[in-house]
């Protein structure tokens, strides 16, 4: 078993990039108003997106030896329409993704410094945080990114599991919440109007969307699989050979799904165990004032653990995004334009553009919940849904003996629906 852990790599990047503002804000908020009853939503997201969709996309790369963009350019219909659709959706929300992560970091650091007697406006800290992340993302190589994200995932796993155990959650209610598929609790009457006036469907769609990742993250996974060299020789035909060849991919995807489930579920459980009885709920990007109660109720010594866990989660996402967006967009455009593009120049253009737009949104204080909903709707729900359908089509482009088993294929069909 421990020998197989060395195969974990690309999945750690996907998981770290997945666990960001949505998990640290929305999951806690839903736990605060819904208790444990919506844990099934996190399980559903982890199975459908973090496991099934990612597995099929990675599996295609392993079996074919090519990235998904190489084949998706010929998806039925006008040439390249799927690639163009994902590219446009991601371009529309990319700067907002950076903002919804950078602003909580800025606010958290500003309030921590204020407690120490140092006053720095959160905007400047947010701008510095996102600038550093994009700057590091421009120069780091894939191997460095993978190693750093493994460290991030380790901190997240230890921090969130420790906190969840210490808050003393109701284990019976956790099991009921995980198994209670389809159950939607009503809003409690103590909720503030700005939240109680929102549609529960919208609130759940946002949580489901963020309990996964952006579509480009899933698509780029196939590029990382090829970088790792996890391909199976075309001469391999027996079921045993193919199964052995898929071993690294299964461990990697399994790790990703489990980490997303455990960490996101831990944040929701913490909201249910601590904030709900207090009738407190995080609003907007308020990561510190409300969610600190999760740890302060246990011991003041636990508060630093909270800070480290949150900042690690958000840094991991920001640090991975330049690689995800640039490698994905570069791969797409090389296919769409039928020409080789300079990756280094592409990264520089992306970095400058994202910095300019991110700075603009942070400085003008665009409404946080608006940005979270926009990203959830167009990227983590519609975009990932398109990618899920594309994964099913890609599997059927493989020779019959190399296609996924029927249960995996039909489970993904249900997921896409």
């Amino acid at each position: 078993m421990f020998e197989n852990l060395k195969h974990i790599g690309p999945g750690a990047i996907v998981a770290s990039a997945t666990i960001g503002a949505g998990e640290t804000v929305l999951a806690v908020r839903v736990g605060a108003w819904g208790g444990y009853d919506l844990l099934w939503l996190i399980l559903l997201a982890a199975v459908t997106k973090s496991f099934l969709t990612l597995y099929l996309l990675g599996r295609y790369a392993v079996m074919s030896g090519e990235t998904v963009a190489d084949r998706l350019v010929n998806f039925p219909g006008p040439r390249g329409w799927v690639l163009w659709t994902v590219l446009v959706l991601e371009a529309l929300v990319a700067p907002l993704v950076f903002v919804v992560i950078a602003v909580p970091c800025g606010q958290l650091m500003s309030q921590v410094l204020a407690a120490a007697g140092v006053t720095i406006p959160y905007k400047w800290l947010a701008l510095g945080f996102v600038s550093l992340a994009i700057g590091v993302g421009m120069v780091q190589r894939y191997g460095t990114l993978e190693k750093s994200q493994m460290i991030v995932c380790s901190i997240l796993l230890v921090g969130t599991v420790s906190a969840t155990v210490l808050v003393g959650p109701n284990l019976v209610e956790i099991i009921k919440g995980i198994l209670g598929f389809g159950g939607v609790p009503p809003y409690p009457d103590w909720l503030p109007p700005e939240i109680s006036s929102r549609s529960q469907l919208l609130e759940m769609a946002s949580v489901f969307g963020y309990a996964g990742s952006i579509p480009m993250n899933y698509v780029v996974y196939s590029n990382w699989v090829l970088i790792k060299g996890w391909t199976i020789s075309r001469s391999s035909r027996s079921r045993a050979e193919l199964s052995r060849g898929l071993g690294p991919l299964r461990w990697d995807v399994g790790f990703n799904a489990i980490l997303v489930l455990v960490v996101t579920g831990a944040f929701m459980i913490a909201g249910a165990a601590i904030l709900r009885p207090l009738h407190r709920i995080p609003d907007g990007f308020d990561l510190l004032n409300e969610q600190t109660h999760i740890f302060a109720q246990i011991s003041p010594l636990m508060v630093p653990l909270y800070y480290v866990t949150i900042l690690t989660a958000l840094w991991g996402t920001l640090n991975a995004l330049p690689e995800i967006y640039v490698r994905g967009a570069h791969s797409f455009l090389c296919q769409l334009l039928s020409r080789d593009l300079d990756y280094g120049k592409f990264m520089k253009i992306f970095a400058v553009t994202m910095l300019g737009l991110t700075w603009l949104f942070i400085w003008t204080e665009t409404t946080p919940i608006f940005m979270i909903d926009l990203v959830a709707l167009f990227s983590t729900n519609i975009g990932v849904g398109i990618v899920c359908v594309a994964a099913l089509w890609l599997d059927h482009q493989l020779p019959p003996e190399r296609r996924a088993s029927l249960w995996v294929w039909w489970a993904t069909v249900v997921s896409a629906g």
Side-chain angles (χ1 to χ4, degrees):
M1 174 179 176
F2 292 105
E3 178 69 16
N4 289 313
L5 293 178
K6 69 181 182 181
H7 296 308
I8 297 172
I13 303 177
V14 175
S16 178
T18 296
I19 301 164
E23 287 72 12
T24 56
V25 178
L26 291 180
V28 176
R29 190 170 80 183
V30 169
W33 69 256
Y36 303 97
D37 292 345
L38 287 175
L39 281 170
W40 63 267
L41 193 64
I42 306 301
L43 175 61
L44 183 64
V47 171
T48 58
K49 296 191 290 185
S50 296
F51 184 78
L52 289 172
T53 299
L54 194 66
Y55 176 69
L56 273 189
L57 292 170
R59 192 181 186 283
Y60 177 80
V62 171
M63 292 295 186
S64 68
E66 63 181 18
T67 70
V68 299
D70 295 336
R71 182 56 66 93
L72 277 182
V73 71
N74 296 315
F75 192 87
R79 183 181 183 277
W81 74 269
V82 169
L83 298 185
W84 279 119
T85 300
V86 173
L87 198 58
V88 170
L89 287 174
E90 293 291 67
L92 287 173
V93 302
L96 302 184
V97 174
F98 281 94
V99 173
V100 299
I101 298 168
V103 170
C105 292
Q107 292 184 338
L108 184 60
M109 290 186 291
S110 178
Q111 295 180 64
V112 171
L113 290 173
V118 179
T119 302
I120 301 178
Y122 83 89
K123 288 182 181 180
W124 289 109
L125 293 169
L127 293 174
F129 200 86
V130 73
S131 299
L132 179 62
I134 292 177
V136 172
M138 286 179 62
V139 298
Q140 69 185 352
R141 296 181 179 274
Y142 172 80
T144 304
L145 175 64
E146 183 182 295
K147 290 183 177 64
S148 67
Q149 296 298 335
M150 283 297 296
I151 295 173
V152 167
C153 289
S154 299
I155 294 173
L156 287 175
L157 191 59
V158 173
T160 54
V161 170
S162 299
T164 301
V165 171
L166 289 170
V167 298
N170 188 317
L171 296 181
V172 174
E173 292 301 317
I174 288 176
I175 295 173
K176 288 181 179 179
I178 291 175
L179 300 179
F181 279 89
V184 181
Y187 279 145
D189 55 14
W190 51 264
L191 279 184
E194 58 268 24
I195 296 178
S196 60
S197 61
R198 282 167 53 83
S199 165
Q200 284 182 295
L201 183 61
L202 177 60
E203 186 83 357
M204 292 172 61
S206 294
V207 174
F208 181 83
Y210 275 102
S213 193
I214 57 176
M216 197 66 83
N217 200 4
Y218 294 111
V219 171
V220 171
Y221 183 73
S222 68
N223 297 68
W224 296 332
V225 165
L226 296 182
I227 290 175
K228 296 290 287 185
W230 289 348
T231 54
I232 297 177
S233 170
R234 293 184 181 276
S235 62
S236 300
R237 295 185 178 276
S238 72
R239 190 173 296 274
E241 286 179 309
L242 296 178
S243 181
R244 282 195 301 271
L246 287 170
L249 177 73
R250 288 169 176 161
W251 275 92
D252 194 52
V253 173
F255 171 81
N256 168 70
I258 290 172
L259 187 68
V260 171
L261 173 62
V262 170
V263 174
T264 309
F267 278 111
M268 183 177 287
I269 290 168
I274 298 297
L275 297 184
R276 183 176 173 84
L278 296 174
H279 292 183
R280 304 181 74 105
I281 191 163
D283 184 20
F285 287 146
D286 188 1
L287 282 171
L288 183 62
N289 289 337
E290 300 298 341
Q291 290 171 243
T292 302
H293 286 283
I294 296 172
F295 295 101
Q297 288 262 326
I298 308 166
S299 167
L301 297 177
M302 292 295 294
V303 175
L305 174 61
Y306 169 71
Y307 295 154
V308 170
T309 303
I310 292 293
L311 289 175
T312 299
L314 300 183
W315 168 260
T317 304
L318 279 182
N319 183 231
L321 285 177
E323 159 74 12
I324 292 168
Y325 278 125
V326 173
R327 191 171 295 279
H330 178 265
S331 178
F332 281 22
L333 289 175
C334 283
Q335 291 297 321
L336 291 168
L337 303 178
S338 300
R339 55 181 292 191
D340 291 330
L341 301 173
D342 187 287
Y343 185 85
K345 290 182 179 178
F346 208 86
M347 176 64 84
K348 292 176 183 176
I349 293 172
F350 171 84
V352 171
T353 303
M354 284 302 104
L355 275 176
L357 292 174
T358 301
W359 280 44
L360 175 64
F361 282 122
I362 291 175
W363 201 254
T364 55
E365 296 184 319
T366 304
T367 306
I369 197 62
F370 162 76
M371 290 189 288
I372 289 176
D373 288 342
L374 195 63
V375 173
L377 175 62
F378 288 104
S379 182
T380 59
N381 279 312
I382 294 176
V384 172
I386 293 172
V387 168
C388 187
V389 173
L392 292 167
W393 179 81
L394 285 167
D395 185 69
H396 267 257
Q397 306 313 299
L398 295 169
E401 68 275 9
R402 291 196 167 216
R403 294 173 187 169
S405 61
L406 283 178
W407 80 264
V408 170
W409 198 86
W410 280 110
T412 310
V413 169
V414 175
S415 302

